[in-house]
Amino acid sequence: MAEQWRVEFDAEVTFRNGGSLSVRGFRLDSPTPELTDAEVGESLVRHLGLLMVGGVEIANRRMLAEPHKGSRGVETARPTARLVDLSHPIHAGMVTYPGVPGPEITDHLTREASRSVYGPGTEFHIGRITLVANTGTYVDSPFHRYPDGTDLAGLPLERLADLDGVVVRVAGDGLRAVDRAALLPFDVAGKAVLVHTGFDEHWGTDAYFRDHPHLTAEAADWLVEQGAALVGIDSLNIDSTDGPHRPVHTGLLAAGIPVVEHLRGLEQLPASGFRFHAVPPPVVDFGTFPVRAYAVL
């Protein structure tokens, strides 16, 4: 185990609303072998939960090599987290789906025009974007499929944010249809189930619009039965587009399970042990909207 440190000190705390507090020979855990008086003072305030502090004077500070005791508010080991972006950037004119127009990105207020509105040396840009809801990486709510379904504003955050995630890897298997059998090994209850097909490598090319991988109706039924919280895929559509029917959307959205399409970068994720987020703005009477999907490792 790495050597741990504590700091011993005297302190005089004064309060904004009057009064003071004196401590002598007080000890706190330290995340490093050296702290400044200011850092010790901040640690003392956090540890004791002191309110209305006006100032802290530290004296006789010394560092001690001894095991931590669990001081409140003093970080002794900060776990590292890595964020993985799983969304396609949106730019003017990009095509997400055949026949769906790309976004138009223009100025509402240019920086040059803003100079006449604000004070000298102050300028802002305010943009305008016109886009179809199914643009980039987006989430489908039940309202997308059903007129009486939950819209974006009604989707509970528990279905969209800080979800335990699992990745179902089928990339490179040469099959388009992802059936129930591919899902059976996974515990999906209450989880974001992300299907990694690898098809996002074709994003931005004509190949992305042809012969895309998709789930089957039986796979969707199983996900509903098992209680998945959200289902996503790195492909053109979670359904087959060879015909007019959309059984996967129909089944998942009927069960209140949001669908995220056009993910990217799922190869960067472990099979499990990460948190998934894909939150759209809460637009009333709207079924679909782009998200900044990401995972926390």
Side-chain angles (χ1 to χ4, degrees):
M1 178 181 296
E3 190 172 40
Q4 295 182 334
W5 294 83
R6 306 190 82 214
V7 58
E8 182 181 271
F9 57 94
D10 301 334
E12 187 76 19
V13 183
T14 57
F15 296 93
R16 295 169 62 91
N17 57 345
S20 63
L21 173 69
S22 298
V23 298
R24 298 289 180 266
F26 203 86
R27 293 186 182 185
L28 288 173
D29 295 347
S30 172
T32 65
E34 187 55 67
L35 291 176
T36 66
D37 284 352
E39 290 169 332
V40 172
E42 291 178 2
S43 295
L44 177 65
V45 170
R46 292 198 303 271
H47 176 71
L48 297 181
L50 300 176
L51 304 177
M52 299 292 289
V53 172
V56 182
E57 296 292 332
I58 301 296
N60 302 320
R61 167 174 49 86
R62 68 188 185 112
M63 304 303 297
L64 306 172
E66 62 180 40
H68 288 163
K69 306 299 183 184
S71 298
R72 288 177 297 169
V74 179
E75 296 183 13
T76 57
R78 177 176 295 176
T80 58
R82 184 164 69 93
L83 301 179
V84 180
D85 195 340
L86 304 174
S87 296
H88 292 287
I90 294 174
H91 59 82
M94 63 179 278
V95 178
T96 300
Y97 197 89
V100 175
E104 301 175 15
I105 301 176
T106 58
D107 297 321
H108 172 71
L109 180 68
T110 65
R111 298 186 187 279
E112 293 74 18
S114 76
R115 294 169 190 163
S116 64
V117 178
Y118 303 101
T122 302
E123 62 181 42
F124 293 95
H125 174 264
I126 300 177
R128 177 192 297 270
I129 182 168
T130 301
L131 55 74
V132 175
N134 296 53
T135 296
T137 303
Y138 53 78
V139 64
D140 291 336
S141 72
F143 186 81
H144 177 54
R145 174 66 177 79
Y146 300 101
D148 58 349
T150 302
D151 62 9
L152 294 172
L155 277 178
L157 284 174
E158 291 79 9
R159 285 281 187 174
L160 302 165
D162 199 27
L163 292 166
D164 191 11
V166 59
V167 176
V168 178
R169 300 201 190 280
V170 295
D173 66 5
L175 303 175
R176 290 181 59 199
V178 181
D179 208 344
R180 181 175 181 269
L183 306 174
L184 291 177
F186 300 92
D187 174 12
V188 303
K191 297 179 181 179
V193 182
L194 310 181
V195 182
H196 174 213
T197 71
F199 205 69
D200 58 319
E201 69 176 354
H202 299 299
W203 175 263
T205 71
D206 290 341
Y208 190 73
F209 306 133
R210 300 190 303 268
D211 300 329
H212 67 277
H214 55 85
L215 269 61
T216 65
E218 292 75 19
D221 290 343
W222 186 85
L223 289 166
V224 171
E225 293 168 4
Q226 298 299 311
L230 174 149
V231 181
I233 194 168
D234 57 353
S235 181
L236 177 74
N237 200 303
I238 203 166
D239 266 297
S240 170
T241 57
D242 294 341
H245 302 293
R246 299 291 184 268
V248 179
H249 280 88
T250 297
L252 294 178
L253 296 179
I257 301 174
V259 172
V260 180
E261 293 172 313
H262 309 285
L263 288 164
R264 71 176 176 96
L266 295 181
E267 72 280 356
Q268 302 175 73
L269 303 184
S272 60
F274 62 91
R275 310 298 290 183
F276 180 74
H277 305 254
V279 182
V283 185
V284 175
D285 293 336
F286 227 60
T288 299
F289 209 83
V291 294
R292 185 73 177 266
Y294 65 94
V296 182
L297 275 58

